[in-house]
Amino acid sequence: MACMPCRNRRSKCDAVMPTCGSCRVHNTEAACHYNPDKDLRTKGALRKLLVDYGKEKRTSEFILRSISQGSEADAAAVVQLLRNNNKPENYSDVQDQVVRMLHSGGNIEVLSRPILTGEGEPMSALTLDASQTTSSQSCHYGATSNLAFQGDEAGLSTNGPAGEVPHWTAVTSNTELIDHLLKVYFTWSHPFHVLFSEECFHHGMNEKQRKYKYCTPLLMNAILAIGCCYSDRPEARKNPNDADTVGDHFFEEAQRLFAEAQDEASLPIVQALGLMSLRETMHNRVSSGRKYVFLMSGMVAELGLERPPTPDRRISDAEVEARKITFWGYFALETASAMWLGRTPFPLKPTGLGTPKLSPDLENVLWKPFGTPNYDGSETELAQPSRKYGVLLQLCLLSGIVNDFLNDFYSTPSGLTFEQSCLHHEKLQKWRLDLPTALQIKDDGITLPQIITLHCYYHHCIIVLLRPLLNPSSPHTSKSVRGLCDEAAGKISQLMDIYSRTYGLDKSSFINSNSLTSAAIIHVFSVSKPIGSLEQKQQTEVYLAEAIQKLHEMKADRFLRIVQNVLFKWRANVPASVQPALDEAQLDSTTTTGGYALDSTIFAEDGGDMWAMEWERSMFLQE
């Protein structure tokens, strides 16, 4: 049997121990040793080689089965483990980690995080971007925080033990009702207000062992509370005979669960807070909705969602995308909330964070009009690719522009200058011109409701940006500014007509009712101070009458009172073509609030449109 150095040199070995003659000649005495397991001429070496090959084969098969038969999130986590341990001799360690994860009900991502040992470099954790990954979420702690060094055992509770299979809500055990509410939510609300990954949510909901990573009872109840708003079933109301209690039972359960998790921070809690804010805003409790946004903002900062994960985080690609989706959904919601209330946006902007990736497979998932009276689940011409992540991406870009001009507007007492308004208007126009073809309004086909809402929101932003320039005392007021506002208001009226004819208005987003109110205010202004031809004046009156009718159909009584208020103040007599719409909405056309004082119960109670309020005040002070 030859020694190992002679094998490598392919030289003759005399097999003398402890050092052969060849190694003494080549000065490799120190390396001279014998390994019988490497001598494939012996049965023992061949037997050991076969055992090793069999073990590697079983390990490889186990890893492949984990990828092919596991969920998308688990498969991504296994791939991440393989990348972290990219040498074949480490694959057995990967198998051990996956097995431990399956037995404990934990998360593969946790096991992929490097562990600081005595042989490592513990001081390498003292960076300017320290962080921690626990079994329930990935938190961000700066280098000045000692919390960056706490172990996984200090992680937060998961609102339920792993492996237990409870009902997702204590409100009802009717799984058919829950399925119905989930479907109407994912049909009418989620495609525009994307606050979480629908794919990760369904994966978490369908797991045999509840890990509560992407789906929790708190998040579920928040979703069901909004789903109730799009359902006409009596069970969707806390009191089946009282339409004002729609979704209250699920919302109260979500409030209870959030109170129990006050000291926790996780992705599902952030997402649930966003949904609770949406639900309050939908019920005209804008200030209450804003409070949930503030809570959401603090938790987003605590989890570090505004920045990409550092290389040492070692979290899966699925969680990276889930974090991106949640942050950008939060950013769009917070910006819109600040605009509705007339506030400076929360100072939390993305720091090197990319936008969500567009996956053709997810973009092409069919959207179907579930919940509409004539839809029975069969094929329909309304079914088409959902484009929800494409809508989210464009909403991110639009929200960035709106966030900038809100900060500029409220940073000085005088608001935006004419030049600043022009610059922001150019950015909005460029956003509109750069929209992908798939997100344009179709002239010869059916447009998705979330795309119509996106365009309404864009024109609403144009009005909000430019209407302060309509002040008669402003030296920059011109027919061009007036024309831009009239054009945007007219576009909103046309878009809402498309929405009404295609889908009806009972499933319309509250963003549409808010946008339509802005358009109606501009219509009132144009009717009160007419310019242009008689035909243009008549068309504006038609738009105004239709806006009142649609707001009444959407049960947007608060917005109707706002339109009524400005109409009676700016017009001595209600146009004859508008009066029938007022009569239908049962608004008193002879009642006025008197003088120039604003009706605070209409505009400002619980957070009305403060920007519109200030603009109207300046208008009347000039008259």
Side-chain angles (χ1 to χ4, degrees), residues 27 37 58 98 133 165 191 221 292 317 363 371 406 458 468 478 515-516 528 555 612:
N27 295 322
D37 291 340
R58 289 191 295 273
V98 174
T133 302
V165 187
N221 280 277
Y292 284 109
D317 292 341
E363 286 293 274
L406 287 176
Y458 159 74
S478 63
S515 300
L516 188 57
S528 305
K555 299 180 175 62

Side-chain angles (χ1 to χ4, degrees), residues 161 163-167 207-210 212:
E164 184 183 357
V165 187
H167 292 299
E207 282 179 324
K208 293 181 179 179
Q209 288 185 321
R210 301 282 169 89
Y212 294 98

